[in-house]
């Protein structure tokens, strides 16, 4: 799996850096080509000479060397996968907010390959809300976080915070590389976010969708090697480079953006919360109180999922969402057949930790072949993996 693969190994300032030397040896033994990047403080823990000797490559650490402005972009593109092990508290925080004061961070921000982090820190730091928030943020960028283990820490205390062992890191790298092949070259179309249907220049009808679930599905499809087109309604979430994003506002815009893409997509996931109705007239000037408007005339929007279902060929997998408050299974199955989808992902508003504006979700997937898959409540990044796994399995059945 690792023969000939290009691995970037980022090492930050942590006592766990000694394990990265072992990881480097394992990677070289497995036939990988490895380039090592150190943060300035990492050199206090491991010697560049050891790393350059083992990797047979110059160790990189300087952002300001001649021509290095171009190097960080090329390094990010050169790699098949980028692992940062150990990832210190400081580097995690900088990655989460886009800071760029060393080469490792610059490469991270330019990387188009999968990024894996193996955090290492003391337990109190590991459990601090700011670190928890930062790691959650990194997950929303599609980065994989390898869980820390429990044991003796650099402080002499016992607890969570030890970096995973080199053999475990190697397994994660192999899995990440395997995943990048699963949908290699496949075109995918994803819709996400709400739509806004204008009443006048200052008011609109919309819903509580943040776009998070659909964006995470787009990222997950991309991490499996797919070429992803994301048609995104108004959302405050930034989308990582590598995905082609078309920003839209209304259901009509979303329909127009999707229509030309449907034919070429082998996988279509419609996760957007598209408004079913839009105002018949969108006033060009602000509607005044004095106009005494008490009734809104609405017209039905075009159903994008249904359109894709009508155009669908046997080579395409079409996935829709159903958000239900009652008769959940019956309604989801009705949607599966009425929209001619291959799968419907049901999320229930009756679940406390699921749905709009939440970081977690509880889903059940129904497919056209009659299967039904239930999943526990979990972070939306994990839910995205479950959905993409189901799509891949369905394609292979
Ligand atoms: N959808 C769509 N275009 C629309 C409306 C919905 O593509 N104009 C898609 C959504 O992205 C989602 C699925 O259809 O994948 C289900 O949307 P929903 O609004 O729940 O379905 P409806 O058929 O409108 O049913 P109802 O509102 O009655 O539950």
């Amino acid at each position: 799996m690792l023969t000939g693969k290009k691995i970037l190994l980022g090492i930050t300032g942590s006592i766990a850096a000694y394990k990265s030397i072992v990881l480097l040896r394992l990677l070289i033994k497995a036939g990988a080509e490895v380039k090592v990047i150190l943060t300035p403080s990492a050199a206090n823990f491991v010697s560049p000479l050891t790393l350059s000797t083992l990797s047979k490559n110059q160790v990189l650490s300087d952002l300001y060397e001649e021509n290095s402005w171009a190097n960080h972009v090329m390094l990010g593109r050169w790699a098949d996968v980028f692992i940062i092990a150990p990832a210190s508290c400081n580097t995690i925080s900088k990655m989460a907010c886009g800071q760029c004061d060393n080469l490792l961070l610059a490469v991270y921000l330019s990387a188009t390959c999968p990024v894996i982090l193996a955090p290492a820190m003391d337990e109190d730091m590991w459990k601090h809300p700011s670190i928890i928030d930062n790691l959650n943020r990194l997950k929303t960028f599609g980065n994989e976080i390898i869980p820390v283990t429990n044991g003796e820490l650099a402080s002499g205390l016992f607890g969570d915070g030890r970096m995973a062992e080199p053999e475990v890191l190697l397994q994660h790298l192999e899995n990440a590389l395997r995943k990048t092949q699963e949908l290699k070259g496949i075109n995918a179309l994803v819709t996400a976010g709400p739509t806004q249907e204008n009443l006048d220049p200052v008011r609109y009808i919309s819903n509580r969708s943040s776009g998070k679930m659909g964006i995470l599905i787009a990222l997950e499809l991309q991490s499996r090697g797919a070429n992803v087109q994301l048609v995104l309604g108004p959302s405050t979430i930034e989308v990582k480079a590598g995905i082609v994003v078309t920003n839209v506002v209304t259901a009509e815009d979303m329909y127009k953006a999707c229509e030309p893409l449907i034919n070429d997509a082998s996988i279509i996931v419609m996760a957007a919360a598209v408004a079913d109705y839009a105002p018949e007239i969108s006033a060009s000037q602000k509607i005044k109180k004095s106009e005494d408007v008490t009734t809104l005339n609405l017209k039905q929007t075009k159903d994008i999922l249904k359109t894709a279902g009508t155009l669908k060929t046997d080579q395409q997998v079409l996935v829709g969402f159903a958000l239900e408050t009652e008769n959940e299974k019956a309604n989801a199955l009705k949607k599966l057949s009425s929209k001619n989808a291959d799968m419907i992902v049901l999320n229930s508003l009756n679940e406390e930790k699921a749905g709009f504006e939440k970081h977690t979700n509880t889903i059940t997937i129904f497919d056209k072949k009659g299967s039904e898959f239930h999943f526990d409540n979990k972070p939306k990044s994990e839910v995205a993996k479950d959905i993409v796994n189901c799509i891949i399995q369905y394609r292979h059945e």
Side-chain angles (χ1 to χ4, degrees), residues 190-198 203-215 230-239 245-255 257 271-275 304 356-357:
V190 179
T191 66
T195 61
Q196 292 175 354
E197 311 304 326
N198 293 337
R203 304 178 181 97
Y204 55 79
I205 300 173
S206 190
N207 56 63
R208 296 184 194 282
S209 167
S210 64
K212 186 168 183 171
M213 195 64 253
I215 291 171
L230 173 65
V231 179
L232 180 62
S235 169
T236 53
I237 303 173
E238 320 96 292
V239 183
V245 184
T246 307
N247 291 105
V248 296
V249 176
T250 65
E252 182 64 20
D253 294 343
M254 191 171 271
Y255 180 87
V274 189
I304 312 164
F356 290 162
E357 298 170 319

Side-chain angles (χ1 to χ4, degrees), residues 1-2 5-7 79-82 112-116 142 144 172-186 219-227 240 388-389 392:
M1 185 77 230
L2 285 157
K5 293 295 179 205
K6 300 185 180 91
I7 315 281
D80 293 313
V81 60
F82 184 14
T112 49
C113 61
V115 178
I116 303 176
E144 183 184 345
H172 279 266
L173 277 166
E174 283 176 345
N175 284 343
L177 286 165
R178 195 170 299 117
K179 275 171 57 182
T180 61
Q181 301 304 308
E182 285 175 332
L183 296 171
K184 189 122 200 116
I186 297 284
L219 283 171
E220 190 57 31
L221 287 165
Q222 190 212 18
S223 78
R224 313 285 181 115
N227 310 314
K240 205 189 81 171
V388 173
N389 285 339
I392 291 172

Side-chain angles (χ1 to χ4, degrees), residues 280-293:
E280 231 169 42
I281 297 165
S282 164
S284 59
Q285 302 299 328
K286 187 180 169 203
I287 301 168
K288 305 297 284 177
K289 217 178 341 193
S290 55
E291 290 172 39
D292 205 19
V293 179

Side-chain angles (χ1 to χ4, degrees), residues 270-272 274-276 301-305 320-321 324 335 339:
M270 305 235 143
V274 189
D276 289 329
T301 58
K302 289 183 191 131
D303 192 323
I304 312 164
L305 178 61
F321 272 68
E324 305 293 343
K335 255 167 222 174
K339 305 212 186 194

